[in-house]
Amino acid sequence: MNIHEYQGKEIFRKYGVAVPAGFVARTPDEAAEAAARLGTPVVVVKSQIHAGGRGKGTVYLATNRNEVAIQGGVKVVKPELARETAQKLLGNILVTIQTGPEGKKVGTLLVEEGMKIVRELYVAVMMDRAKSMDLIMVSTEGGVEIEEVAAHQPEKIVREYVDPRVGFQGFQARKLSYALGLEGDAFKNGVKFFQALYKAYKEMDCSIAEINPLVVTDDNRVLALDAKLNFDDNALFRHPEVMAMRDVAEEDPLEVEASKSNLNYVKLDGNVGCMVNGAGLAMATMDIIKLAGGEPANFLDVGGGANVETVRNGFRIILSDPNVKAILINIFGGIVRCDRVANGVIEAAKSMDIRVPIIVRLAGTNAVEAREILAASGLNLIPAEGLKDAAAKVTQAIS
Amino acid sequence: MAVLVDKTTRVIVQGITGHEGSFHTQQMKEYGTPVVGGVTPGKGGLLHEGTPVFNSVGDAVRETGANTSIIFVPAVAAGDAIMEAADAGIRLVICITEGIPVNDMMKAWTYIQGKGTRLIGPNCPGIITPGIGKIGIMPGFIFSPGRVGLISRSGTLTYEAVNQLTQLGLGQSTAIGIGGDPIIGTRHIDAVKLFNEDPETDAIVLIGEIGGTDEEDAARYIRDHVKKPVVGFIAGQTAPPGRRMGHAGAIISGGKGTAAEKVKTMKECGIHVADSPAVIGETMKRVLGK
């Protein structure tokens, strides 16, 4: 799960991870008030959306998507211009390199103190899968894409692994601070920063905590100028306060709908919908669609308990996507009985107006009975015998 | 004898009185697996559908001589259950549970290092040696005894591949579902080593998916150490970066873990990679010259 920058910084504050002074604003008046309270010569007005590249993005009018409201979703302005800037950002659509052309609506701003930045650095905490250990990565090359640094200047990235038996140690925080060339008060602040950051990451069950840039100011403060926090979905039950930070406006409406029905659904851009049991087989089915000349419209794992209700919800969600020209159902019955799935498909298909071809491939437990049930239903369902046959029938359906 | 499951295997079920644990205990017994007991704290002394229940893994081991455990306890307590099994001297732990927090798994994984316990999973369908026993949740009837070893991160995709093999007359020595989580006890490379040393396995099917670099690590090991033919498949060629595809571990992040990268490395290492999941069985048949 993702959260907004301002929410990430709230968590950081709680753990003593230094962040710039700032206030949340949802109206131009609140932005003006925040700027006045900060009292710095300039303030930074930052659009809060779940996507990167905000500074270089473009804000379009919500009422007229062809008209630019303002260039850049992050603005450094004099305090007296905060209200006017907020007016141009709030309620409008920010398009960045990460949002896609549809962009995201700006509903919230973070107004922060302006400061003199002397250095831009990078730090991230994540789990290294190859070692099953947490990893802290720092780089002197902040403010740019870390993948670029890794590709062209790998020596500029310093890694420190955390031994799970003893946790992150003081000498490691010092090593990282030295590696970044921090000195004097900035060194002390850096050590404190890394220790607090790791504690926040660990206790909040984050899957990543990335700060780019991590800045050093002219008065030797070490601050998280940005905050990207993702959380381990499996641990959210321990953090109701994080769950409350979920912003469904930032998610695809079909994915929100699917999550209400406990379906594991990811919306994609293709033309062939699919409904599958099991994540691995679902990915493999998407691959089959591609090999058949189509493009998958979604990932959908109906899980181990596929019944009439899950099949119906799955259909409804797939069919809400106007790009879908055909549907491939691929169920390998292990514990799931294919005859039950077949009945689910029939009931769901009867109760809905389905105008696209549906290819059904059922294998495993009670597959023979299931095929008989489908054949006797009188519905226009296209049975497939194996994955090869299913692929050929998908090709036929979309050509 | 095939790997992991053999005539000396004695299984206990942690979480035997729960819905899943109860159902699959019956299924495993029907398949002929020697299930000798179960564990549910507080329910020790009960007989659950014919199987004695104990309060702790330690009690179960003492009373039954169990050496293998399968875990069905809920995600919130599963990490603890893994550690309890290792502490009691269980040498093979299979954790079926899905949805365990990464931090809990990191703890459990670290705890069992050096204790002589092998962990399979979590978030896996378990293991099966056709005709001998299954310690897992897979449908037994699609498997057939034979000499192909199978390794996979996914459940139903394993069934798909096994079904293809069986229909082509290629039986399996053992199938190992290693699990779809980012931290798992036995990785592709570890399972490859087991099959490589097993005199009853002639060839290996290695099924992977997007996320992490375990398939690449296994591929390099195969290049350097394995003479047996290996057929591979990677699911998720069409998966977009940054999105979790069902499994907690199936995510392309920071440009790492793409299907294309894995397939490339596997091919360079001499693995016969099936381009479509529909031809995993056929590819094996061709490679074996049958």
Side-chain angles (χ1 to χ4, degrees):
Chain A
M1 195 191 110
N2 293 334
I3 58 173
H4 287 294
E5 176 198 1
Y6 77 90
Q7 295 166 322
K9 285 178 171 170
E10 277 170 21
I11 291 173
F12 277 176
R13 265 195 204 100
K14 215 170 4 171
Y15 278 90
V17 180
V19 296
F23 303 101
V24 173
R26 292 192 173 84
T27 64
D29 281 347
E30 285 176 11
E33 194 189 324
R37 278 172 75 184
L38 287 166
T40 45
V42 292
V43 297
V44 190
V45 183
K46 308 178 86 174
S47 303
Q48 299 297 293
I49 60 166
H50 284 191
R54 293 171 296 167
K56 293 195 179 101
T58 305
V59 181
Y60 295 91
L61 287 180
T63 47
N64 177 4
R65 298 285 304 254
N66 296 318
E67 198 171 321
V68 174
I70 189 168
Q71 247 342 301
V74 176
K75 307 299 289 183
V76 180
V77 296
K78 294 217 167 78
E80 56 271 27
L81 292 177
R83 181 192 308 270
E84 189 187 324
T85 308
Q87 228 145 22
K88 288 178 183 160
L89 295 169
L90 283 170
N92 287 328
I93 308 297
L94 174 53
V95 177
T96 81
I97 193 161
Q98 288 185 10
T99 61
E102 66 276 16
K104 295 211 163 167
K105 193 169 189 162
V106 181
T108 306
L109 302 172
L110 176 61
V111 184
E112 288 189 332
E113 60 170 322
M115 65 192 76
K116 287 240 163 54
I117 294 168
V118 294
R119 293 186 68 198
E120 293 199 7
L121 311 167
Y122 173 93
V123 61
V125 193
M126 67 196 77
M127 203 267 295
D128 182 280
R129 290 171 61 163
K131 290 192 197 293
S132 300
M133 285 169 120
D134 290 325
L135 162 67
I136 306 183
M137 255 172 39
V138 298
S139 173
T140 52
E141 309 302 298
V144 293
E145 288 287 319
I146 197 66
E147 286 84 11
E148 289 294 305
V149 182
H152 303 295
Q153 300 172 285
E155 73 285 355
K156 293 272 173 77
I157 296 177
V158 176
R159 292 177 174 79
E160 197 64 31
Y161 287 92
V162 182
D163 185 331
R165 290 168 299 180
V166 296
F168 186 55
Q169 299 298 305
F171 78 90
Q172 295 184 294
R174 294 197 296 278
K175 262 169 92 176
L176 292 170
S177 302
Y178 283 126
L180 291 173
L182 298 176
E183 291 172 342
D185 284 344
F187 176 83
K188 283 183 201 152
N189 289 329
V191 169
K192 240 169 69 187
F193 187 96
F194 294 130
Q195 286 176 318
L197 175 64
Y198 184 74
K199 191 164 194 272
Y201 162 88
K202 201 65 182 170
E203 287 185 7
M204 296 303 291
D205 282 299
C206 292
S207 54
I208 187 168
E210 186 183 42
I211 297 164
N212 193 14
L214 168 73
V215 300
V216 183
T217 62
D218 61 346
D219 53 353
N220 286 316
R221 290 187 292 163
V222 175
L223 299 175
L225 203 63
D226 195 8
K228 183 184 161 193
L229 290 185
N230 282 8
F231 298 88
D232 175 4
D233 291 343
N234 290 341
L236 282 176
F237 69 90
R238 290 201 275 247
H239 305 285
E241 76 283 17
V242 173
M243 273 199 263
M245 289 179 175
R246 181 173 173 197
D247 183 355
V248 290
E250 287 286 339
E251 297 172 28
D252 184 281
L254 286 181
E255 291 183 12
V256 175
E257 191 61 33
S259 72
K260 282 184 202 154
S261 313
N262 276 325
L263 291 171
N264 216 329
Y265 170 88
V266 177
K267 167 99 171 63
L268 301 168
D269 298 327
N271 55 358
V272 180
C274 56
M275 193 183 323
V276 190
N277 66 329
L281 190 61
M283 280 185 270
T285 305
M286 287 158 56
D287 296 341
I288 283 278
I289 289 169
K290 174 89 172 175
L291 290 164
E295 287 288 340
N298 63 277
F299 167 95
L300 174 57
D301 171 11
V302 295
N307 55 33
V308 176
E309 206 44 45
T310 46
V311 172
R312 199 200 322 261
N313 287 330
F315 264 136
R316 209 186 58 234
I317 285 155
I318 292 173
L319 289 167
S320 316
D321 178 351
N323 297 328
V324 169
K325 301 285 175 274
I327 298 175
L328 170 57
I329 298 176
N330 186 14
I331 303 288
F332 203 111
I335 306 315
V336 176
R337 282 171 42 190
C338 287
D339 52 334
R340 286 206 187 145
V341 177
N343 282 324
V345 169
I346 290 166
E347 265 196 56
K350 273 184 183 159
S351 67
M352 301 170 86
D353 181 23
I354 300 175
R355 290 158 190 272
V356 298
I358 301 175
I359 299 119
V360 187
R361 188 273 177 138
L362 299 168
T365 310
N366 292 3
V368 178
E369 295 88 326
R371 270 175 234 142
E372 282 163 9
I373 292 169
L374 288 178
S377 73
L379 287 166
N380 187 20
L381 303 164
I382 305 163
E385 276 301 318
L387 287 186
K388 258 190 186 172
D389 189 33
K393 282 169 175 161
V394 167
T395 309
Q396 219 175 350
I398 55 175
S399 57
Chain B
M1 189 61 16
V3 305
L4 301 174
V5 190
D6 61 29
K7 298 276 185 222
T8 68
T9 297
R10 292 172 73 79
V11 181
I12 53 164
V13 180
Q14 287 176 259
I16 191 169
T17 52
H19 181 258
E20 296 282 304
S22 193
F23 176 76
H24 289 293
T25 299
Q26 289 313 116
Q27 296 278 312
M28 285 189 287
K29 281 178 156 178
E30 276 171 33
Y31 196 79
T33 311
V35 178
V36 296
V39 176
T40 297
K43 294 197 177 167
L46 282 180
L47 204 60
H48 185 75
E49 292 171 0
T51 308
V53 181
F54 301 92
N55 280 325
S56 68
V57 181
D59 285 355
V61 168
R62 259 190 308 280
E63 298 296 323
T64 67
N67 52 25
T68 302
S69 164
I70 180 165
I71 295 176
F72 288 99
V73 307
V76 54
D80 184 69
I82 293 169
M83 293 190 277
E84 183 184 354
D87 176 65
I90 295 283
R91 64 169 199 224
L92 177 62
V93 178
I94 293 138
C95 185
I96 306 298
T97 308
E98 179 178 0
I100 305 176
V102 169
N103 275 333
D104 295 9
M105 260 324 290
M106 193 184 288
K107 236 187 251 172
W109 187 87
T110 306
Y111 180 84
I112 66 171
Q113 298 308 304
K115 288 205 162 49
T117 297
R118 173 181 292 285
L119 171 67
I120 308 275
N123 190 11
C124 78
I127 57 179
I128 181 168
T129 293
I132 302 289
K134 78 163 176 170
I135 313 170
I137 60 172
M138 53 280 270
F141 71 93
I142 59 169
F143 293 81
S144 58
R147 305 186 63 87
V148 177
L150 190 134
I151 307 161
S152 169
R153 269 160 77 175
S154 133
T156 45
L157 185 52
T158 307
Y159 312 160
E160 175 65 45
V162 164
N163 200 40
Q164 290 177 22
L165 290 170
T166 296
Q167 286 183 351
L168 291 167
L170 297 169
Q172 305 86 42
S173 55
T174 299
I176 309 175
I178 59 174
D181 271 6
I183 297 182
I184 51 176
T186 298
R187 299 166 189 244
H188 279 109
I189 186 169
D190 308 312
V192 165
K193 286 178 188 170
L194 290 173
F195 282 129
N196 195 35
E197 286 155 18
D198 174 34
E200 300 207 339
T201 298
D202 295 339
I204 302 168
V205 176
L206 190 149
I207 299 173
E209 61 192 36
I210 56 161
T213 53
D214 284 0
E215 291 85 351
E216 287 94 318
D217 294 342
R220 283 185 280 269
Y221 182 86
I222 289 165
R223 179 193 60 200
D224 298 337
H225 302 283
V226 179
K227 297 266 190 322
K228 298 176 184 181
V230 180
V231 168
F233 174 72
I234 299 293
Q237 331 246 358
T238 56
R243 298 303 308 271
R244 208 181 80 148
M245 295 284 120
H247 288 154
I251 182 165
I252 300 166
S253 57
K256 287 266 173 65
T258 63
E261 186 63 31
K262 288 173 192 286
V263 168
K264 183 168 165 280
T265 308
M266 286 163 76
K267 283 186 173 166
E268 283 167 4
C269 292
I271 296 171
H272 306 272
V273 181
D275 294 322
S276 159
V279 299
I280 297 169
E282 279 174 31
T283 307
M284 181 53 86
K285 197 173 171 88
R286 200 186 63 234
V287 168
L288 290 173
K290 286 188 179 171

